[in-house]
Amino acid sequence: MADPAIQRLYLKSVLSLPPPVLRALSGGGVIWRGGRTLDPRFQFLWKAWRKPRGIASVTPEEARTTWAEMVETAAPRAPSMVRVDTVMIDGPASTLTARLYRPSTLDPAAPVLVFFHDGAGVVGDLETSHALCARLAEYGQCLVLAPAYRLAPEHRFPAGFDDAFAAYAWALENAERLGGPPGVAAVGGQSIGAGFAAGICAALKAERQPQPVLQLLICPLVDIADESQSMQTYADAWPLSAQALKWVLGWYLSADADPNDPRLSPLRADVAGFAPALIVTAGFDPLADQGESYARKLKSKGVPVIYRCYDGLPHAFPEFAGLVPCAEVACTEIAGFLREGLEGRLVRAAALPDHQDSMSLVI
């Protein structure tokens, strides 16, 4: 990949062109699937960045490098007013490095949000999730603790989840020292990080421990054996395809992994009594149905839920918010939902609508 700074300037210039021009540069036509139309800027990026090389021949190290370079090019700048400190956490196997994000205006009543990055347990790190965490802290007016959990294949499941759970427990014990109210915390994450957050709710329920005050799930991976319609409709989507998901889970999972394990597939757990949830999905994502199904299941058990699907966006859209304006708007909205959730403004309401309506909030 070219120098990220140069490529960023080039892409920002090209992506400012009118949608018909972008679609023409992308080969013409509109990408329309399942009643949804892909944003023309993402259509151009799909054409420009999708690699013809088969994913099966890519190594985890290559995937990490490629993703890091892509995010460096496409991610938005983190709010400059957010203070970022390095924190060391006692993990189950070794000391974990984490980043603590402190907003310019901190609500002292807002609990710490422990947020886990995406990457299916194989790619991604604190840097690739940096801009999103800073935005959540600033506009959510809360502390955000982002731990660097162990990655596969060097450390297969359940290592990453165990680190995530340890980070949440550490946040509970140290919440007051960090600057939040004592003894409470929220959990959140993106993709598999969202799965970690939901899995923590399942683990706490199994141990008869109190739930987090909130779970924030962005494009959640909550069923590793998912066979829903979105897995077929958006099988060739970018940057996450069904083939790429299968490849990365092959590196992440241990040989004896059970798809029904709630640490892997919290969608299959008994979710009664789980924490209130903010669930966000992307329309052009093989995982889209998982997030909606999880929202519906929580709602059926009386758990307060806000659900939102951004129809024209793909998986991992927050990492592209520096290039695609509608992705940036979505991230700001998510931070606003977080603020409402932390203030306790989630309420029970009617069941989710039977039809898909990405422009409506389900609360």
Side-chain angles (χ1 to χ4, degrees):
M1 182 177 286
D3 178 85
I6 295 174
Q7 187 155 9
R8 184 184 184 91
L9 289 173
Y10 161 72
L11 288 172
K12 286 182 75 72
S13 176
V14 173
L15 294 176
S16 66
L17 295 171
V21 176
L22 287 173
R23 290 195 170 106
L25 293 173
S26 306
V30 174
I31 297 181
W32 187 87
R33 304 275 176 80
R36 295 165 172 156
T37 301
L38 182 64
D39 179 89
R41 295 171 181 83
F42 274 113
Q43 183 174 339
F44 178 85
L45 291 175
W46 185 340
K47 179 72 173 181
W49 273 348
R50 188 166 190 167
K51 305 299 183 184
R53 178 183 176 190
I55 187 68
S57 62
V58 176
T59 68
E61 292 78 10
E62 289 173 328
R64 291 167 187 166
T65 299
T66 299
W67 184 241
E69 291 175 346
M70 194 177 294
V71 173
E72 185 179 359
T73 300
R77 304 303 182 209
S80 60
M81 65 286 285
V82 175
R83 173 181 160 186
V84 185
D85 296 315
T86 299
V87 177
M88 307 309 292
I89 295 173
D90 292 332
S94 61
T95 301
L96 306 176
T97 301
R99 288 181 180 174
L100 180 67
Y101 295 81
R102 187 179 300 274
S104 58
T105 301
L106 175 64
D107 178 0
V112 176
L113 170 66
V114 188
F115 192 87
F116 311 109
H117 69 75
D118 60 356
V122 175
V123 303
D125 54 29
L126 296 183
E127 197 58 41
T128 58
S129 65
H130 174 68
L132 177 59
C133 289
R135 186 177 295 253
L136 292 175
E138 181 61 21
Y139 298 111
Q141 297 181 20
C142 66
L143 296 165
V144 174
L145 181 71
Y149 54 85
R150 286 173 290 172
L151 299 177
E154 296 87 349
H155 306 281
R156 293 180 184 262
F157 171 81
F161 178 85
D162 290 345
D163 288 351
F165 192 91
Y168 171 74
W170 185 91
L172 282 182
E173 295 173 0
N174 294 274
E176 188 172 20
R177 181 175 67 84
L178 296 175
V184 295
V187 290
Q190 186 178 351
S191 192
I192 199 170
F196 286 171
I200 286 171
C201 294
L204 290 170
K205 178 179 178 177
E207 296 178 2
R208 300 181 182 274
Q209 297 296 318
Q211 288 286 304
V213 297
L214 186 74
Q215 47 177 325
L216 168 64
L217 312 183
I218 303 173
C219 300
L221 174 58
V222 287
D223 184 356
I224 63 164
D226 177 33
E227 296 181 353
S228 63
Q229 183 59 49
S230 64
M231 291 295 293
Q232 284 76 49
T233 303
Y234 308 104
D236 64 341
W238 175 91
L240 181 69
S241 65
Q243 181 187 24
L245 179 62
K246 181 179 180 180
W247 173 85
V248 78
L249 288 178
W251 289 111
Y252 173 66
L253 297 175
S254 50
D256 59 348
D258 179 1
N260 294 308
D261 189 326
R263 297 172 297 175
L264 289 170
S265 302
L267 176 58
R268 301 183 178 214
D270 177 5
V271 302
F274 276 24
L278 303 171
I279 301 174
V280 173
T281 59
F284 276 76
D285 183 357
L287 306 184
D289 287 352
Q290 291 193 29
E292 182 177 352
S293 295
Y294 187 63
R296 289 182 182 277
K297 189 169 184 178
L298 289 170
K299 183 63 66 177
S300 72
K301 298 297 184 179
V303 178
V305 176
I306 287 179
Y307 169 77
R308 178 72 142 90
C309 177
Y310 291 95
D311 261 5
L313 302 184
H315 190 81
F317 65 83
E319 279 87 337
F320 299 87
L323 295 177
V324 182
C326 61
E328 182 176 14
V329 170
C331 291
T332 301
E333 288 182 350
I334 292 168
F337 299 154
L338 172 62
R339 179 70 190 143
E340 293 183 6
L342 294 178
E343 289 179 344
R345 287 190 275 153
L346 287 180
V347 296
R348 289 180 171 84
L352 292 169
D354 292 332
H355 63 284
Q356 292 182 342
D357 181 0
S358 69
M359 297 308 294
S360 66
L361 289 180
V362 181
I363 57 176

